[in-house]
Amino acid sequence: MLHLRLIVPTDTTDEVVALLETTVGTAHLVVLPGAARSPAGDVVMCDVAREAGDELIRDLRGLGLEKSGSITMENMELTLSDHADRAEEEAPGDSADAVLWEELTEATHEESTFSITYVSFLAIATMLAACGVMLDNAVLIVGAMAVGPEFGPLAGISTAVVQRAPRLVARSLWALIGGFALAMLITAGFAWLMDAFGLFTSGMIDEARPNTGFIWHPDWMSFVVAFLAGVAGTLSLTSAKSGALIGVAISVTTVPAAANAAVAFSYSDYQQTVGSGQQLLANLGGIILAGTLTLLLQKALWRFRRARKPPADTPGAAVRS
């Protein structure tokens, strides 16, 4: 279940309440007249089944409520109520399959911000991966993958394409391209510093490196793995099962490829630089393609499920057209 809290102008309250009362999947409606002070108005609260949330938010925005008042929705970990159970049963579709597009757009928007924190995490991950490739240490490579924040802008691009939001596409691309460029530049400087202290040597980049040599040898399996990881990552975002993201992070060779390209470039090994760049592009492209196709499929399937309305004699099943 989701908890919805609205600040509603007094002259719009009756219309909003009527909307909530006729929406399948709502329960626990509460109206507090005059409770809001900034902006002034009434406070209206209710719980709503996740599968009914996206349509309800869209209808509330259709009333202009995000401009004249506010719309706040949050996930509820536990709800013990027969009314809530009935609301979830009446709502068409399954909560696990429901996508809250406003929530997804907002989340990817935040994760796609080119900020000091984002660049810091990406640069640290890339430098950690640089240590991994030079030492041929798979543990460091996995750790670097887990630290990298690049899935945020990748998911932002997929979401923006599906939602036809060009500003989010530009924002996400800037975070992705600018972030990797800056992180690779910092890593090249880091490699130079490590070389100056004798911790990195040119011989380390030229060795066979059986544990990490795959990073600069891209093949079709690189794309396949990235595609599958992109599907899993997108599903984890849309279903609010964010724990799956860590599995995605350690399965895709984005940060290690960027690190190997930066280190190889600093030692003038352009063959590895090109190979690592191809690996990076293959993984980024696979994730974006997978994320976009997954969201498109989810959108189509959800429309199909919503079209299968509950029987008219089901209590509370007055679905609006």
Side-chain angles (χ1 to χ4, degrees):
M1 294 291 287
L2 302 168
H3 181 65
L4 182 68
R5 188 187 74 238
L6 311 173
I7 295 180
V8 185
T10 304
D11 58 353
T12 312
T13 299
D14 290 342
E15 187 176 6
V16 169
V17 170
L19 172 63
L20 297 177
E21 289 178 334
T22 56
T23 296
V24 175
T26 59
H28 310 146
L29 178 61
V30 176
V31 180
L32 302 175
R37 292 294 181 266
S38 179
D42 303 330
V43 174
V44 180
M45 297 180 289
C46 74
D47 297 334
V48 57
R50 182 179 177 86
E51 52 268 43
D54 187 65
E55 181 183 3
L56 180 56
I57 291 177
R58 185 173 64 248
D59 290 344
L60 289 170
R61 294 195 67 179
L63 297 176
L65 197 57
E66 79 280 11
K67 298 177 181 178
S68 59
S70 74
I71 304 172
T72 303
M73 184 174 283
E74 58 185 348
N75 288 298
M76 300 173 61
E77 297 297 331
L78 177 64
T79 303
L80 301 177
S81 166
D82 288 344
H83 294 283
D85 292 341
R86 284 196 298 270
E88 289 188 315
E89 291 173 0
E90 293 170 5
D94 298 317
S95 61
D97 298 331
V99 179
L100 296 177
W101 291 100
E102 292 291 343
E103 179 186 56
L104 179 61
T105 301
E106 182 65 23
T108 52
H109 182 275
E110 292 179 359
E111 295 295 327
S112 301
T113 302
F114 188 83
S115 63
I116 294 177
T117 301
Y118 168 79
V119 174
S120 297
F121 270 111
L122 190 55
I124 290 171
T126 308
M127 288 187 286
L128 185 60
C131 295
V133 298
M134 294 298 277
L135 298 175
D136 194 33
N137 189 317
V139 174
L140 291 176
I141 294 297
V142 172
M145 289 176 173
V147 173
E150 73 278 8
F151 191 79
L154 290 170
I157 293 173
S158 297
T159 302
V161 170
V162 174
Q163 292 292 85
R164 299 178 183 178
R167 289 187 178 180
L168 182 55
V169 171
R171 183 189 186 96
S172 301
L173 280 174
W174 167 238
L176 188 67
I177 298 173
F180 266 111
L182 189 54
M184 292 170 72
L185 182 63
I186 294 172
T187 302
F190 172 73
W192 176 84
L193 183 63
M194 294 290 280
D195 183 82
F197 281 99
L199 298 175
F200 283 1
T201 65
S202 59
M204 297 171 72
I205 196 72
D206 295 329
E207 290 178 354
R209 292 184 289 152
N211 293 323
T212 58
F214 70 94
I215 292 172
W216 62 282
H217 288 104
D219 54 24
W220 277 106
M221 282 304 300
S222 302
F223 181 83
V224 170
V225 170
F227 187 90
L228 295 176
V231 173
T234 303
L235 289 175
S236 72
L237 286 178
T238 57
S239 63
K241 298 184 181 297
S242 58
L245 279 177
I246 190 64
V248 173
I250 65 175
S251 64
V252 185
T253 317
T254 49
V255 166
N260 198 80
V263 173
F265 184 82
S266 69
Y267 282 105
S268 301
D269 189 335
Y270 302 121
Q271 183 181 5
Q272 284 200 41
T273 301
V274 172
S276 300
Q278 292 173 341
Q279 178 79 272
L280 177 61
L281 292 176
N283 280 270
L284 295 179
I287 293 175
I288 292 173
L289 178 61
T292 302
L293 293 178
T294 300
L295 290 175
L296 287 172
L297 181 59
Q298 285 184 293
K299 200 168 192 177
L301 288 176
W302 186 248
R303 286 177 178 174
F304 174 75
R305 293 296 298 272
R306 292 291 295 177
R308 300 174 61 184
K309 300 176 183 178
D313 57 353
T314 300
V319 181
R320 291 162 292 103
S321 57

